[in-house]
Amino acid sequence: MRPMMFGEKEVKEIERIPLSNNTVARRIDEMAEWAEDELIWRVVCSKYYTLQLDESTDVQGLSQLLVFVRYIWQNDAHEDILFCKPISRGMAEEIFNVIDSYIKEKGLQWKNCFGICTDGARAMCGKNSSVVTRVLKQSPCALWTHCSLHREALVSKALPNDFKTVLNTAVKIVNYIKTKPLQARLFEKLCEEMGSLHTSLLLHTEVRWLSRGKVLTQLVELRNEVTIYLEGKTECIESLLDKELILKLTYLADIFSKLNELNLYLQGSNESDIFAVHDRIRAFMKKLMLWRSCIEDGKYDCFETLETFIIENQVQPKTNVLSAISTHLSLLKNNFDAYFGEEMKKLDSLNWICNPFQDRLPSSMSTKASEELIDLSEDTSLKNSFNRKQLTKFWLSVAGNYPCLFDEAIKVLLPFSTSYLCEAGFSAMISIKTKYRNKLDVSNSLRLKVTKIEVDAKAVMTKNRKQIHPSH
């Protein structure tokens, strides 16, 4: 393995470098180029790699294409930023050409790409000439994954009209206070004087995945303060005095909080395999049906905020409210089925990957792979050491003895299940490219900020020592 660290001697060397703007920029470029070269070397050495990509607009209004790669290195799966490049229009042809040019320029092979994860935008995954379609032409064995986070967000957006009205009313109330600095300060002062749990509301935005749940929960918790503050100021106060609307609002706060919990799990699912993601989503779908049964039976303990409001105000929800809640829970279940059901059914036939010690052999498996699976399933030492939570490592450890099984398993386990790394990368970009530094070429600075490869400062400085003049 190549040494990669900042030692005390290297820190002193860096401190000797003259700190002009040009020098700092040059050192950033040199460090980033070293990290990129190291990454490319690793990916080339890996027989398998998968991509995750997304595009977004920076503070300058420029579209940026961000691509992450997952690959095999030292008997484990690793992921890192592959590149970030500006694009002009964000069309499928341009996006693919940028990726294709980079792949070829760096000596990578499309045939080794076994997965691509994107959002559901037409340019990314349309049927005829999308980025995914073009990638699959280059690598027919690649697996496309529609980002689980985006699918979950689409599921949660589906609301019956009466709940849409409640949500819009809540957003209107929050915006009335939050979008006006004076109003926000006066409300904060009121909350402080009342000793409230919070001193401000949260602003709703469609862009942030967790926005709805947090906005509604905070509004519910501060509804008494909001009612006092809005008295005589706006007609919105009538909504906060409507118990039927508050019942729906408390339910929405609870259900979106539960969706937020699922969302947070999916954000961290880079550490989990696709089977674990499906397990969590399947469990949530079953809970939706459980909660529907509880509501229909008049049991509200599954929704804490709703139950608290009912008990504290001695309210008996009307049939139309309970029916609306039941309908929404069924709608969520059906939408999860629509967005995840087909993928789940397809992977059910590959269940041997996460449980290779079962007796039943898959019917679609080749004879050679079936023989390997029989041998593996009867290996007691492997069975005793098997750890479901480290599925990728397990299959990497048996690659030499069971090559056919490994080849099939790694093509399913290695692809990204979400594009969360790209979203995190765009968040990092915001802190790098601000309105005061809007001319900055963000690619190298972003690489150094998010890369997981430690830069060998000594190697970089030795390579470029001739550019450093002692007279400085």
Side-chain angles (χ1 to χ4, degrees), residues 352-363:
W352 59 268
I353 295 174
C354 57
N355 182 15
F357 301 99
Q358 55 187 321
D359 294 329
R360 184 171 57 88
L361 290 174
S363 58

Side-chain angles (χ1 to χ4, degrees), residues 54-283:
D54 201 355
E55 62 98 11
S56 185
T57 304
D58 62 24
V59 69
Q60 194 179 357
L62 185 68
S63 291
Q64 298 281 355
L65 174 64
L66 186 53
V67 181
F68 278 77
V69 62
R70 181 178 283 165
Y71 59 97
I72 304 299
W73 174 252
Q74 295 186 335
N75 211 36
D76 201 359
H78 296 263
E79 52 208 20
D80 215 317
I81 179 174
L82 187 61
F83 69 80
C84 177
K85 290 183 178 293
I87 53 178
S88 59
R89 299 176 61 194
M91 303 298 287
E93 182 178 8
E94 180 189 12
I95 293 174
F96 173 77
N97 287 340
V98 170
I99 300 172
D100 186 50
S101 297
Y102 186 91
I103 294 291
K104 292 175 178 177
E105 176 190 344
K106 299 301 181 181
L108 303 179
Q109 300 294 320
W110 272 119
K111 66 179 182 180
N112 293 336
C113 176
F114 288 98
I116 177 171
C117 179
T118 72
D119 62 18
R122 173 183 279 186
M124 291 294 184
C125 62
K127 291 184 179 180
N128 298 321
S129 56
S130 66
V131 175
V132 172
T133 302
R134 297 166 192 266
V135 169
L136 294 182
K137 286 181 180 178
Q138 299 294 322
S139 181
C141 293
L143 173 70
W144 172 63
T145 303
H146 183 183
C147 170
S148 297
L149 276 170
H150 286 93
R151 280 184 281 174
E152 192 264 358
L154 291 172
V155 168
S156 66
K157 277 187 174 183
L159 282 173
N161 289 333
D162 50 351
F163 283 121
K164 284 182 181 178
T165 300
V166 173
L167 179 61
N168 291 337
T169 300
V171 171
K172 186 176 180 180
I173 291 171
V174 171
N175 288 345
Y176 180 85
I177 296 175
K178 286 292 294 183
T179 58
K180 301 173 183 177
L182 177 59
Q183 300 277 22
R185 289 196 298 272
L186 291 175
F187 180 72
E188 180 179 351
K189 185 174 180 62
L190 172 65
C191 291
E192 290 174 352
E193 291 175 352
M194 293 180 66
S196 305
L197 180 64
H198 308 290
T199 58
S200 66
L201 296 169
L202 298 176
L203 197 61
H204 174 65
T205 168
E206 286 289 348
V207 176
R208 297 187 182 277
W209 286 312
L210 305 183
S211 177
R212 288 185 181 182
K214 290 182 177 180
V215 168
L216 296 181
T217 299
Q218 200 113 320
L219 177 59
V220 168
E221 291 173 350
L222 291 173
R223 67 183 182 278
N224 292 330
E225 290 85 344
V226 173
T227 301
I228 293 172
Y229 181 75
L230 293 181
E231 187 172 0
K233 292 185 175 69
T234 173
E235 295 178 357
C236 291
I237 190 173
E238 295 179 6
S239 301
L240 294 174
L241 299 175
D242 183 343
K243 290 186 177 181
E244 183 172 311
L245 185 142
I246 297 299
L247 283 169
K248 294 177 180 178
L249 180 63
T250 54
Y251 160 72
L252 286 178
D254 283 328
I255 192 63
F256 281 127
S257 292
K258 292 178 184 297
L259 287 164
N260 284 354
E261 291 175 9
L262 176 61
N263 191 288
L264 286 170
Y265 172 81
L266 295 177
Q267 287 185 28
S269 63
N270 286 317
E271 303 297 327
S272 305
D273 56 77
I274 187 62
F275 295 100
V277 170
H278 284 179
D279 288 346
R280 185 62 64 97
I281 292 172
R282 193 177 285 111

